[in-house]
Amino acid sequence: MVPQKLAEEAIVSSFNETEHDGKEEEKIDQSMFSVKSLLWHGGSVYDAWFSCASNQVAQVLLTLPYSFSQMGMLSGIILQIFYGFMGSWTAYLISVLYIEYRSRKEKENVSFKNHVIQWFEVLDGLLGPSWKAVGLAFNCTFLLFGSVIQLIACASNIYYVNDHLDKRTWTYIFGACCATTVFIPSFHNYRMWSFLGLGMTTYTAWYLTIAALVHGQVEGVRHSAPAKLVLYFTGATNILYTFGGHAVTVEIMHAMWKPQKFKYIYLLATLYVFTLTIPSAASVYWAFGDQLLNHANAFSLLPKNRFRDTAVILMLIHQFITFGFACTPLYFVWEKVIGMHDTKSICLRALARLPVVIPIWFLAIIFPFFGPINSAVGALLVSFTVYIIPSLAHMLTYRKASARQNAAEKPPFFLPSWAAMYVINTFVVVWVFIVGFGFGGWASVTNFVRQVDTFGLFAKCYQCKAPTAQHH
């Protein structure tokens, strides 16, 4: 079959997640010379790595200096490393549970030819309908607010390039732009976007680092953090959120030709993300210190020049990509609810997906402060979705000796004991519940309410005065 024909077939069938056996992989290899196939139809280990790394750090890159100003340099660096490894561990657990669920279903001759497996379905298959309901509620709410944050961030960032329009107006405009993600079928089709997205965040991170070092410390700079418990735990939950980007792990795995290879991809992605987040947050905090407490977006303190404008524009494009990442699982859930998930027509499914975008758009206009929202989402949603639920689900799935004996995936080589896995999972659950959900929830909700009281709902231009003054 000639490469061009293969490419055309890939475009037509891209809405249908397919199982890839050996023959299909050979066909894909043959079609690599096709430009359309090369840019559009991705399912390799490298595609998954780019998706994980690109999705993990987006707008949060600009709020981490703000977190450092709340909790101090040392705590900021230590907690990034700590939560980075903890997030990698729970992503590993999710991948193990996905493989377990899929292997059990395939033994029952269940086909996933036209069906994308999602996290709540894995929980349903392994632990029953009550777990499905819990997983669905937390995951969908997390992804909903994750999309809201990206939309708010678009408006916040473009304002630093063009302040002729207020942030609320920019939110209207970018809401319309982000609505076009309804036409991107699935995670197979993010190959080019993931690659570009990671390049954009890499540029932005190193721009922040170099610009802060070149700028030097502001006159009379103070580094008083940690000063208040509320601020400390608000910053900590923002970091918890940073490394909790795997609400889409199952969808990314399902888009792979060989999902079994996913196990350590998230860890490798996290190690790369460390090279972006730690230098940029540390250098910006070193330069501006306590000023960051009133500037959740690091762009607002850096001098306006072509390098900053380039970083802003690249982040805008990346936020569009991340919006699609967060929304695509919601699109799948909605399609399954209304019975449109098997539909082959791109236009019909795009039309069916639009009701998902509208509430996200509306919420972004109501709550235009993404720094505090990051922390609130981290404490109340990410803590359960990303850390607690996967750890508990893994322990319950393999609680019986027969389940452990017949497990599709045995414990990892660096931790070959089931007992050791239970110890780590228990630690994750207890730590995140007390520190992340308990203290973090109290701090972030307190901070969030304070922002609403200060600026009000539907704020026209949140934190605009200081950046505008710097233009003169």
Side-chain angles (χ1 to χ4, degrees), residues 19 110 141-142 146 198 230 285 338 369 403 446:
E19 291 175 300
V110 176
T141 312
F142 169 38
L198 192 57
V230 170
Y285 177 55
I338 63 173
F369 17 90
T446 302

Side-chain angles (χ1 to χ4, degrees), residues 39-73:
L39 298 180
W40 185 252
H41 199 69
S44 69
V45 170
Y46 302 104
D47 289 309
W49 183 85
F50 276 112
S51 291
C52 288
S54 176
N55 186 47
Q56 194 174 126
V57 56
Q59 182 61 28
V60 78
L61 192 66
L62 305 177
T63 63
L64 283 173
Y66 167 65
S67 297
F68 273 46
S69 73
Q70 294 171 317
M71 59 195 311
M73 184 82 78

Side-chain angles (χ1 to χ4, degrees), residues 42-247:
S44 69
V45 170
Y46 302 104
D47 289 309
W49 183 85
F50 276 112
S51 291
C52 288
S54 176
N55 186 47
Q56 194 174 126
V57 56
Q59 182 61 28
V60 78
L61 192 66
L62 305 177
T63 63
L64 283 173
Y66 167 65
S67 297
F68 273 46
S69 73
Q70 294 171 317
M71 59 195 311
M73 184 82 78
L74 184 63
S75 289
I77 293 171
I78 290 171
L79 279 183
Q80 275 201 49
I81 295 169
F82 176 69
Y83 282 129
F85 283 113
M86 188 182 283
S88 299
W89 173 255
T90 53
Y92 168 78
L93 297 181
I94 291 171
S95 71
V96 167
L97 293 172
Y98 168 87
I99 297 297
E100 183 67 37
Y101 168 76
R102 185 156 183 170
S103 64
R104 288 186 188 182
K105 288 295 178 183
E106 285 174 350
K107 286 175 185 174
E108 299 169 10
N109 295 320
V110 176
S111 171
F112 297 105
K113 188 174 177 63
N114 296 318
H115 186 91
V116 179
I117 299 173
Q118 294 187 268
W119 176 229
F120 68 91
E121 292 167 321
V122 172
L123 291 174
D124 184 27
L126 297 177
L127 297 170
S130 57
W131 277 83
K132 173 186 176 180
V134 170
L136 188 60
F138 274 106
N139 228 37
C140 288
T141 312
F142 169 38
L143 290 167
L144 177 77
F145 279 99
S147 304
V148 170
I149 288 165
Q150 297 310 318
L151 203 48
I152 297 168
C154 284
S156 175
N157 287 348
I158 192 63
Y159 183 79
Y160 299 119
V161 174
N162 184 337
D163 61 1
H164 297 301
L165 298 176
D166 59 75
K167 290 183 182 178
R168 191 169 66 194
T169 303
W170 280 120
T171 305
Y172 294 141
I173 293 167
F174 278 99
C177 294
C178 288
T180 59
T181 57
V182 296
F183 289 100
I184 301 177
S186 72
F187 284 99
H188 271 312
N189 313 114
Y190 273 98
R191 165 175 279 184
M192 178 178 67
W193 294 114
S194 297
F195 178 77
L196 291 175
L198 192 57
M200 292 164 188
T201 48
T202 300
Y203 172 89
T204 304
W206 286 107
Y207 157 74
L208 291 173
T209 304
I210 294 166
L213 294 174
V214 170
H215 182 279
Q217 291 186 311
V218 295
E219 190 177 347
V221 66
R222 294 180 68 239
H223 299 89
S224 58
K228 297 179 181 177
L229 277 178
V230 170
L231 292 179
Y232 187 89
F233 285 107
T234 301
T237 50
N238 188 41
I239 293 176
L240 182 84
Y241 173 84
T242 304
F243 297 98
H246 39 288

Side-chain angles (χ1 to χ4, degrees), residues 369-423:
F369 17 90
F370 66 84
I373 289 180
N374 272 3
S375 297
V377 169
L380 305 178
L381 298 173
V382 174
S383 55
F384 283 95
T385 304
V386 169
Y387 298 97
I388 294 174
I389 292 175
S391 300
L392 285 175
H394 188 273
M395 288 194 287
L396 290 173
T397 299
Y398 297 109
R399 66 189 181 278
K400 294 180 180 176
S402 58
R404 295 193 292 274
Q405 190 174 351
N406 299 317
E409 289 283 337
K410 302 298 181 186
F413 69 91
F414 58 87
L415 201 74
S417 161
W418 285 99
M421 292 192 76
Y422 268 74
V423 169

